[in-house]
Amino acid sequence: MTRHAPDSCPGVLRLHEAADGPLARIRVPGGRLEPAQVQTLAEAARDLADGAIELTSRGNVQLRRVSDAGSLTDRLTAAGLLPSAAHERVRNIIASPLSGRIGGLVDVHPLVSALDSGLLAAPRLAGLPGRVLFTLDDGRGDVSGLGPDIGVHAVGADEVALLLAGRDSGLRLAAADAVDVVLAAAHEFLELRGDDPGRWRLHEIADGAERVIDRLGLSPGAVKLEFPAGQDIPIGWLEQDNGLVGLGAGVRLGCLPARTAEFLAAVERPVFVTPWRSLVLADLAEGVAEQVVRVLAPMGLIFDADSPWLLVSACAGQPGCAKSHTDVRADAAAAVDTGRVLPGRADPADDPHTVAATDVTVAGRQHWSGCDRRCGRPQGDVTDIVATDEGYRVD
């Protein structure tokens, strides 16, 4: 792919002019939000945007139709959600959401803080493209398959594999050195990228991973691991290793109403935004967890792992995107409501075919797109349902 311009990923200080108005994307390293931050986002969505918080496939959040960018900046800064104007778009860090609470070889959340601090402390790393992705996987394999530019995957209590350009590099590092090496690799990516604004990702540089390894002065030697993309959405009652309870909650099409977010904030426990556009509410006593489900399930949060809503994702569609042929979110929601989203494995058609929106019936994971760009498509085995001038093409 040849490009001639810098990436146009939005942030808070550089909004995207969507078809329905300005869009702000707020980076949430590791997906972790404190209750006060959830409340701030809810109030901003209600007062300054369209009334909802959108969850992204990188564990970040978005606000659409922003009416007052200056006020939004002030609120987010006060809440600790905008610690650096220069680095705001490069803090794309995904971590295993359940790490340190349920399973995993190590707790990677302290690495999130260390990596984020290291990014913010390096003025030069503010020059990373806004599309660069860092991942920190605690060994369970839930986020290493998401195609990171640079990441680590725990292979033992004190050892991690270094991932480059979405693959295991063959390098093994002491866990204590992981953040320093990840930051060094980010610097080397910038060196290799040079003055070319069109190379947004490490895999877009010829032999990028191998050249980073060489510049780091390291020698790979381990058998390389494979990291298939999964859809490991933690949903429902999650018993933590410390005796407390987490709740995994699906969010319909990744769109969280501000009022529901306010109820989440009122629980006064940390909330994790996952890369599957869902939430984990952590560290609850059993009685509190039961009450949360009773209140928030009727408000639309999904605690049933068999819900068809968990099989469906969609791009923004109309009216948010001028390139979209139709309102794909409305059509996807109608497919769920009328029982046309079926359980089972993803079932791509052998021969792509075009049907009306009301005739789309698909089993398994599916992504509805307003055009052939297929924005927001999740990794892995997914049926694509793509809007065209003549209807939806299922392939």
Side-chain angles (χ1 to χ4, degrees), residues 48-72:
L48 306 173
D50 69 352
I53 302 166
E54 288 187 346
L55 313 183
T56 81
S57 60
R58 291 186 164 193
N60 295 318
V61 298
Q62 296 182 162
L63 300 179
R64 303 190 74 90
R65 295 170 54 192
V66 174
S67 61
D68 188 335
S71 180
L72 177 62

Side-chain angles (χ1 to χ4, degrees), residues 10-359:
V12 176
L13 303 178
R14 187 174 81 180
L15 305 183
H16 168 63
E17 290 299 328
D20 58 346
L23 177 147
R25 183 172 299 158
I26 302 125
R27 270 60 179 188
V28 186
R32 179 170 180 142
L33 291 167
E34 300 303 327
Q37 294 175 324
V38 177
Q39 181 65 30
T40 294
L41 290 170
E43 292 173 356
R46 183 192 63 217
D47 300 343
L48 306 173
D50 69 352
I53 302 166
E54 288 187 346
L55 313 183
T56 81
S57 60
R58 291 186 164 193
N60 295 318
V61 298
Q62 296 182 162
L63 300 179
R64 303 190 74 90
R65 295 170 54 192
V66 174
S67 61
D68 188 335
S71 180
L72 177 62
T73 297
D74 291 343
R75 293 188 188 200
L76 297 179
T77 300
L81 289 167
L82 189 61
S84 168
H87 294 78
E88 64 141 340
R89 297 189 313 120
V90 306
R91 302 167 67 231
N92 297 302
I93 304 171
I94 297 177
S96 299
L98 300 181
S99 191
R101 289 176 170 82
I102 302 173
L105 296 175
V106 295
D107 182 359
V108 296
H109 287 295
L111 299 183
V112 174
S113 299
L115 177 55
D116 190 36
S117 296
L119 288 171
L120 297 177
R124 188 165 178 274
L125 293 183
L128 287 168
R131 295 178 188 263
V132 165
L133 176 63
F134 301 92
T135 61
L136 301 170
D137 194 305
D138 67 3
R140 74 185 71 219
D142 55 349
V143 302
S144 286
L146 298 178
D149 294 276
I150 308 169
V152 295
H153 182 101
V155 294
D158 300 308
E159 187 178 42
V160 300
L162 179 68
L163 278 59
L164 294 171
R167 299 177 181 274
D168 182 3
S169 69
L171 289 170
R172 298 295 178 262
L173 312 169
D177 298 329
V179 169
D180 287 341
V181 175
V182 167
L183 291 169
H187 280 282
E188 298 305 338
F189 167 62
L190 277 178
E191 287 291 335
L192 292 174
R193 183 172 180 256
D195 296 327
D196 184 351
R199 294 190 289 189
W200 300 341
R201 307 292 305 275
L202 180 56
H203 72 264
E204 294 171 352
I205 296 174
D207 300 318
E210 292 77 10
R211 293 166 70 185
V212 166
I213 293 171
D214 183 63
R215 295 175 69 93
L216 291 174
L218 301 174
S219 300
V223 175
K224 295 182 181 180
L225 303 173
E226 296 290 334
F227 301 115
Q231 186 80 350
D232 302 313
I233 309 177
I235 294 294
W237 192 272
L238 308 170
E239 294 191 5
Q240 297 182 184
D241 298 339
N242 62 0
L244 296 175
V245 174
L247 289 174
V251 177
R252 298 182 183 190
L253 300 179
C255 192
L256 179 68
R259 183 60 174 155
T260 307
E262 289 182 321
F263 273 79
L264 279 170
V267 181
E268 297 188 339
R269 293 294 184 272
V271 175
F272 292 87
V273 181
T274 82
W276 308 288
R277 296 183 174 91
S278 66
L279 302 170
V280 173
L281 183 60
D283 304 338
L284 303 165
E286 286 192 10
V288 174
E290 291 171 351
Q291 185 176 2
V292 168
V293 173
R294 284 197 297 269
V295 171
L296 292 181
M299 296 181 72
L301 289 189
I302 301 161
F303 299 100
D304 177 7
D306 295 324
S307 170
W309 284 105
L310 302 179
L311 299 174
V312 179
S313 58
C315 71
Q318 292 181 359
C321 179
K323 292 182 173 63
S324 179
H325 291 281
T326 188
D327 186 345
V328 292
R329 289 185 178 181
D331 291 341
V336 175
D337 288 337
T338 56
R340 290 183 283 114
V341 174
L342 306 176
R345 296 176 60 83
D347 186 24
D350 292 333
D351 298 309
H353 57 287
T354 301
V355 296
T358 53
D359 293 330

Side-chain angles (χ1 to χ4, degrees), residues 341-390:
V341 174
L342 306 176
R345 296 176 60 83
D347 186 24
D350 292 333
D351 298 309
H353 57 287
T354 301
V355 296
T358 53
D359 293 330
V360 177
T361 301
V362 177
R365 292 177 61 206
Q366 53 197 263
H367 183 70
W368 293 61
S369 302
C371 71
D372 274 312
R373 295 187 306 161
R374 308 183 191 201
C375 295
R377 185 189 190 277
Q379 301 277 348
D381 190 11
V382 181
T383 299
D384 288 295
I385 303 171
V386 183
T388 71
D389 289 332
E390 299 175 352

